[in-house]
Amino acid sequence: MALIFRWLIWFATALIVLCVATVTLAYYFASRSLPDYDAQTDVAGISATIEIVRDNANVPHIFGANDQDVFFALGYAHAQDRLWQMTMLRRTVQGRLSELFGERTLKIDEAMRRYDIYNLSVASEKAQDEETTAALNAYSAGVNAWLNEVNAGARGRGAPEMWLFSHPVSPWQPADSIAILKLMALQLSPNLANEVLRARTSLLIDNDRLRDIMPDDPTSGIAALPAYASLVPDVPSFTPDTQLASDPLSPFHPPELAGASNAWAANADRSATGSTLLANDPHLGLTAPTIWYLARLELESGGVIGATIPGLPLIMSGRGDSLGWGITAAYVDDLDIMIEEVNPDDRDQYRGPDGWVPFRTRDSIVNIKDAPAVTLRLRWTANGPVMSGNQFNLGTITPPDHVTAIAWSALSDRDTSISAAMGIMRARTVNEAIRAGETFIAPALNLTLADRNRIAMKTIGAIPARDPNHQSRGRFPSFGYLPENRWQGRFPYSDNPIFLNPEGGIIGNTNNKTVDREFPRHVSYLWGDTQRINRWRRLMQAREVHTRDSFIEAQLDTVSFTARTLSALMGADLWYTGDAAPEGTPERRRQIALDLLSAWNGEMNEHLPEPLIYAAWVRAVQQRLIRDELGPLSAEFTHVAPVFIERVFRNVDGAGIWCDVIQSAPVETCTDIARQALDDALIWITENHGTAIEAVRWGDAHVAKHDHAVLGQTPILNWVVNIRQSTSGGDNTLQRGKTSGVGPAPFQNVHAAGYRGVYDFADPDSSVFVTATGQSGHPLSRYYDNLGELWRRGEYIPMSLDPALARAAAVGVTVLTPKP
């Protein structure tokens, strides 16, 4: 027995030593790709010595002899910190994920190949102006200089993920950067998914009820919308889902998780400091690392500082000495689904306005890890690329012997958006920035501007010109062979909405409706916000003058106008009613919940129970209202539609009929639905968060989910690469934390402000900014999540262009010298 015991000890010891050795070896190889920020390197392709001074938050401040050298250094810094992220963005837009991840990503690659965004980006290189072409070439050379250092040895393949997914990394090209901006357009566009869902829903319910659940716009009347079945006959009333499966690697998101943002500005009359103020927080899906990367560039036109996207030589949101700019998704209706009829006698032809026309075709080979390659036959009509019916649920709204093509402004082979963005970054006044935005194509954005004297907001991006006789006005898929459904070019830039130095002194956008114009100059029927704007207006009007701190306070505001409105409507007949009930019974839990909500001001604070009770309640209300009318399709309405709930409980245009369950004999009232839904919500809360209703926390359910797109679902490694944080806010608060809406944790925060910035032109160096995670994409770097806790607490770091402040306590200075 003693001998066996000794052998067991030896075996256990050997096992422990082996595990320690394995972890140590893995750490050694992974850590080899951590860059040395305090180094001097000879590189080819620069004209003079460049300094990359990294301040104590690891924000690079780049100083070079000319603009080309500065962009070279930005590419170098991006590659040092975010090489894996950059290569993944490029693979996504090229449709080459399956080379690494196998059949898991084949559908994503197929969709990207059919869009053909990368080849359009290559063609767009020739359309850029001279300065932008020079910047793109210099930036690419900087990325490739770092790749050369990695290839020269002892750099751990550039990123720890490269050890797990070993693949050659091709040199960076200017088209790669153009393609990443186009990919951003894809991520910000909700129009395709919204058109499909609207069409599918209209096949199940009449137009009056369609206006309830999917209102075109709640603030104004619109022309009657024809039924989809009358526009495109022979479509089954319901077909099972065929959309792309949810995958962290997918750039395709449901419309509820499309781009959103906040931006506002105050002129000197509304500022306590006598100069202008601007705040911006763009909202995108949360990832680890975040998509944003902070940087300062010392250009010949002056210093600029703010948020970049690795892969792009641009400050997307930021400021210079005299101008600040911020971006919000404009929700322009710049995409239409065209139903194209296929010739039954020749499947290579489709119907045009004057007869049968051949498809333009090309084969594309998708290489797949551990599986045979797949050859795709890509097809185009005059309206755009033909998409597969098994993607985006397009097959569910396509009649037999037809296919769907996508008309979208981003599918331009002369896309000058990156040149326009470069001009905005170099501008020094509001007028200069507005002029520079004229050649911006996609994504359509609201550009909020402030120089030292004026403020403005201008919609930039191509707005398609539709025929006034368009059958569905762009709200439904329509036959592409009818001339009235085809686009007629784009509206002139001067027609894009603009607000310059408004009389009230404050301008802002929360993705709300910006203009009320008749079709076809309407801009959009789909807007990203009808709720946050109400809270923003109240906060702006509550003060005669504003300061940097009041703008920060608004940016971090967590009071939900929606919750205050809907909880009062749903509980109107429930407050302080009902018989006494003993402890532990459903009736007692309901009374406790109603008592808590009755004294609640709508603040979605992470430490309170009321936000969780409200969120679970309103979610359950919507499901009870729609599941009998929509059946399985109700599962696709993953997020609460506040306008719909309000219409139902106020019985607007007879919307209260949704409360009656049509498949049951009794006639249910909205009070019945509200009471039953509250019980549903409380049961869910007790099963998932404990039986003490007063003790639950919104933050335990509303956890910010910064997950690594590749390793985030890998056991053990996910502990290292994922960042999770308890957060305040919600779907309809200014500090927006959009919930997932699906799965066992439907209230996880998955879409929020990955960047926040507030710019004060009375004292520009007092401006502040922050990102949601950190500067580095390396999980072993101390800068992987160094800004995350500040972001969670609503804190910021200084946004200064003072070189002395950057050098003070700098974590390192990288010196790039011309190679002899």
Side-chain angles (χ1 to χ4, degrees), residues 152-221:
R155 291 294 186 185
R157 298 189 180 180
E161 295 92 341
M162 301 291 191
W163 292 101
L164 300 175
F165 302 94
S166 180
H167 65 285
V169 179
S170 58
W172 198 264
Q173 303 291 335
D176 300 342
S177 297
I178 297 171
I180 287 175
L181 188 57
K182 283 182 174 288
L183 183 64
M184 184 180 178
L186 183 70
Q187 294 170 325
L188 291 179
S189 176
N191 293 302
L192 189 154
N194 186 73
E195 277 195 32
V196 172
L197 184 57
R198 180 186 292 275
R200 298 184 75 200
T201 305
S202 78
L203 294 169
L204 293 173
I205 58 179
D206 62 44
N207 276 346
D208 288 338
R209 302 290 69 86
L210 181 64
R211 282 197 293 270
D212 295 333
I213 188 67
M214 298 188 74
D216 289 288
D217 181 74
T219 59
S220 62

Side-chain angles (χ1 to χ4, degrees), residues 21-40:
T22 301
V23 171
T24 302
L25 193 64
Y27 179 86
Y28 171 77
F29 282 114
S31 64
R32 295 301 298 164
S33 51
L34 284 169
D36 180 5
Y37 297 131
D38 213 355
Q40 180 170 331

Side-chain angles (χ1 to χ4, degrees), residues 422-433:
M422 194 73 67
I424 292 167
M425 182 176 68
R426 287 188 162 110
R428 299 188 64 82
T429 67
V430 164
N431 282 347
E432 286 180 17

Side-chain angles (χ1 to χ4, degrees), residues 575-592:
W575 306 123
Y576 309 113
T577 61
D579 300 327
E583 196 71 34
T585 61
E587 293 79 7
R588 180 60 177 159
R589 284 199 301 270
R590 188 192 311 149
Q591 290 171 358
I592 293 171

Side-chain angles (χ1 to χ4, degrees), residues 313-381:
L314 294 169
I315 303 288
M316 297 295 294
S317 174
R319 72 168 186 90
D321 282 325
S322 57
L323 177 73
W325 61 98
I327 54 175
T328 56
Y331 276 79
V332 167
D333 187 4
D334 58 1
L335 183 150
D336 277 348
I337 301 173
M338 301 294 192
I339 305 296
E340 309 280 19
E341 184 180 357
V342 179
N343 186 347
D345 299 321
D346 185 349
R347 308 298 292 181
D348 292 329
Q349 294 182 334
Y350 68 98
R351 183 183 295 279
D354 301 315
W356 300 113
V357 182
F359 287 102
R360 181 164 61 89
T361 62
R362 189 180 79 235
D363 286 343
S364 182
I365 299 174
V366 181
N367 293 313
I368 306 171
K369 180 183 177 182
D370 300 327
V374 172
T375 299
L376 302 175
R377 170 58 59 94
L378 309 183
R379 295 186 293 175
W380 288 263
T381 71

Side-chain angles (χ1 to χ4, degrees), residues 398-417:
T398 306
D401 297 320
H402 290 71
V403 295
T404 51
I406 306 298
W408 183 29
S409 60
L411 300 179
S412 167
D413 61 357
R414 295 188 57 79
D415 191 338
T416 50
S417 300

Side-chain angles (χ1 to χ4, degrees), residues 421-606:
M422 194 73 67
I424 292 167
M425 182 176 68
R426 287 188 162 110
R428 299 188 64 82
T429 67
V430 164
N431 282 347
E432 286 180 17
I434 291 173
R435 285 196 297 271
E438 182 168 4
T439 56
F440 199 92
I441 305 297
L445 300 170
N446 286 322
L447 181 67
T448 303
L449 299 161
D451 58 26
R452 292 183 182 272
N453 302 302
R454 298 198 299 171
I455 61 174
M457 185 176 73
K458 173 71 173 179
T459 300
I460 59 174
I463 300 181
R466 294 180 176 87
D467 190 306
N469 297 314
H470 190 292
Q471 284 185 303
S472 74
R473 300 190 171 189
R475 291 170 284 177
F476 276 147
S478 307
F479 284 121
Y481 59 82
L482 297 177
E484 62 267 30
N485 294 338
R486 292 187 162 202
W487 290 1
Q488 302 171 349
R490 60 177 288 189
F491 283 110
Y493 181 63
S494 59
D495 204 54
N496 285 18
I498 184 171
F499 305 88
L500 181 62
N501 253 10
E503 185 177 340
I506 290 182
I507 200 167
N509 182 247
T510 62
N511 311 119
N512 56 290
K513 183 176 182 179
T514 56
V515 291
D516 192 6
R517 303 192 304 205
E518 291 295 323
F519 179 86
R521 296 178 60 249
H522 66 306
V523 177
S524 182
Y525 287 115
L526 171 68
W527 300 93
D529 173 48
T530 61
Q531 305 293 304
R532 301 195 314 274
I533 190 65
N534 294 289
R535 178 62 179 173
W536 174 79
R537 183 187 296 117
R538 181 179 180 87
L539 292 177
M540 294 298 106
Q541 294 174 343
R543 295 173 180 261
E544 182 66 28
V545 294
H546 283 271
T547 64
R548 183 200 71 170
D549 290 341
S550 72
F551 267 34
I552 290 174
E553 181 183 342
Q555 205 169 62
L556 301 176
D557 186 79
T558 61
V559 174
S560 173
F561 167 87
T562 311
R564 294 170 70 152
T565 302
L566 297 188
S567 59
L569 286 173
M570 295 186 301
D573 295 330
L574 301 179
W575 306 123
Y576 309 113
T577 61
D579 300 327
E583 196 71 34
T585 61
E587 293 79 7
R588 180 60 177 159
R589 284 199 301 270
R590 188 192 311 149
Q591 290 171 358
I592 293 171
L594 289 168
D595 286 345
L596 288 169
L597 292 175
S598 68
W600 180 50
N601 70 346
E603 182 182 5
M604 304 291 285
N605 187 295
E606 63 180 295

